Amino acid sequence: MKLKLFIPLFAIGCFCFSQDGFEGEHRIKKSQFPALKDPQLIPDEGIKQLRFYKETENAESQYRLKFKQNRLHYYMNFNHDGVLLNLGFRVKTIDIPSDTHTNIGSYFNEHFEQSKIRRMYQEYQVKKTAGAREVVKNAFQNLLLPDIQYLIIIRGKKEGDWNSYKANFNADGKLISIRRALPPNYDHILY
């Protein structure tokens, strides 16, 4: 009798504790990167450390181009057809307007017992109203427009557990979305 009850409960328990989703980024060769719809979006001069990545999140995949120009770390996200989705660069606390930073900090103080900001990015989204070239021009001029977003990767403590989170905020510091991020993959380290 106990065995008949144990087997179904064990099977249900296996499904309940499965992983929420799959997320990963791995480096690829330039030949594996999709052909760009507009190759002139990438600046020719002053680029250092040009790298190509494929990013997989659940069933969707994107391609990411990372490089360094004028001491800033840029990234550009493309879909599998080579169309620019968004781009951004790494910023520090001093680069964010004080009102926006205060709003972001108050959100973290309200929703986490403790939090530590790991990285901050200023993002420019490509929309149908604004062409890709205009968005790229705005990003390389570091313009503070009302439609920019801030992507913040934090390590936060909730209910005694530390986890990594990715949070998107608008230019005023209001939360757009937050999700739990998987820890980095260290499979490439060989001992």
Side-chain angles (χ1 to χ4, degrees):
M1 178 70 181
K2 291 181 183 179
L3 186 60
K4 290 180 182 179
L5 182 62
F6 176 73
I7 292 174
L9 290 176
F10 178 73
I12 291 170
C14 290
F15 290 111
C16 291
F17 297 109
S18 65
Q19 183 176 350
D20 292 345
F22 174 74
E23 178 181 308
E25 178 182 84
H26 61 278
R27 194 167 172 185
I28 59 174
K29 296 179 183 176
K30 183 177 181 179
S31 60
Q32 296 171 319
F33 202 80
L36 303 180
K37 291 283 185 187
D38 190 0
Q40 295 178 351
L41 294 176
I42 302 170
D44 294 334
E45 54 202 44
I47 288 186
K48 299 176 183 175
Q49 303 173 2
L50 182 65
R51 296 187 177 119
F52 303 91
Y53 292 89
K54 182 176 182 180
E55 186 176 275
T56 307
E57 187 172 328
N58 295 333
E60 300 174 9
S61 63
Q62 290 183 1
Y63 293 89
R64 181 172 279 191
L65 181 67
K66 291 183 180 181
F67 57 92
K68 186 175 178 182
Q69 184 184 30
N70 298 333
R71 300 186 339 201
L72 290 175
H73 295 269
Y74 287 92
Y75 67 88
M76 301 174 90
N77 289 332
F78 297 90
N79 65 8
H80 62 279
D81 293 328
V83 177
L84 181 67
L85 301 173
N86 62 19
L87 71 147
F89 54 91
R90 196 181 314 171
V91 293
K92 296 180 180 175
T93 305
I94 198 166
D95 300 326
I96 297 177
S98 59
D99 294 342
T100 304
H101 188 268
T102 303
N103 292 341
I104 292 171
S106 64
Y107 173 82
F108 290 144
N109 290 336
E110 290 174 15
H111 292 86
F112 294 99
E113 297 168 22
Q114 292 178 339
S115 63
K116 170 83 171 140
I117 294 177
R118 295 292 183 192
R119 289 206 174 137
M120 295 186 292
Y121 296 95
Q122 184 171 315
E123 283 191 337
Y124 294 82
Q125 305 292 325
V126 177
K127 298 178 181 174
K128 292 181 181 178
T129 56
R133 287 187 184 207
E134 182 182 339
V135 172
V136 169
K137 180 182 171 189
N138 293 340
F140 286 117
Q141 290 180 355
N142 192 6
L143 297 179
L144 293 175
L145 301 172
D147 60 342
I148 64 171
Q149 294 181 7
Y150 293 101
L151 170 66
I152 300 180
I153 301 170
I154 67 157
R155 188 103 169 113
K157 184 177 182 182
K158 276 188 177 181
E159 300 171 4
D161 290 334
W162 285 91
N163 291 307
S164 295
Y165 296 91
K166 288 184 179 180
N168 282 54
F169 293 90
N170 66 8
D172 297 327
K174 294 180 183 173
L175 181 71
I176 297 172
S177 66
I178 188 167
R179 64 184 174 86
R180 200 167 145 208
L182 295 176
N185 186 0
Y186 294 107
D187 288 345
H188 62 279
I189 297 177
L190 299 175
Y191 293 98

